[in-house]
Amino acid sequence: MRSSVNILPMPALEAMARGCACVLFDCEGFKEFAVDNKNAIIVPTGDHKTLFDAVVNLINNIELREKLGREGIKTAKKFNWKY
């Protein structure tokens, strides 16, 4: 049986379902599905410098971007999209 997810982190999970590599703040809702350096990059909430650096890293690192995209798709398939 698939898990359901709170509606608040839905845009990030929807992006993962489309294969987008995500950089997310370390917020409670994302902890339901995001794992740092496995299916997303997690940065401390409010740390805009680290957020910027993580996005630049994804732009420059195609292997990481593709890996996070693949893992994001796998993650999104575990969830029920009905709410």
Side-chain angles (χ1 to χ4, degrees):
M1 184 162 117
R2 293 182 172 183
S3 303
S4 61
V5 67
N6 182 317
I7 195 160
L8 294 176
M10 287 296 287
L13 193 56
E14 289 169 346
M16 289 175 133
R18 300 293 298 161
C20 297
C22 294
V23 179
L24 307 170
F25 281 125
D26 187 16
C27 296
E28 194 62 38
F30 298 134
K31 292 179 183 178
E32 294 182 46
F33 59 87
V35 179
D36 190 34
N37 288 312
K38 181 176 190 295
N39 61 10
I41 295 176
I42 311 298
V43 299
T45 300
D47 186 344
H48 296 100
K49 169 81 169 91
T50 303
L51 175 68
F52 176 83
D53 292 344
V55 171
V56 169
N57 183 35
L58 276 181
I59 291 169
N60 294 321
N61 188 336
I62 191 169
E63 293 86 13
L64 177 60
R65 195 168 62 238
E66 290 177 346
K67 180 192 110 173
L68 295 178
R70 285 190 306 273
E71 291 300 319
I73 291 169
K74 290 179 190 175
T75 298
K77 286 181 179 179
K78 297 176 185 176
F79 288 87
N80 178 350
W81 293 94
K82 295 179 184 177
Y83 51 90

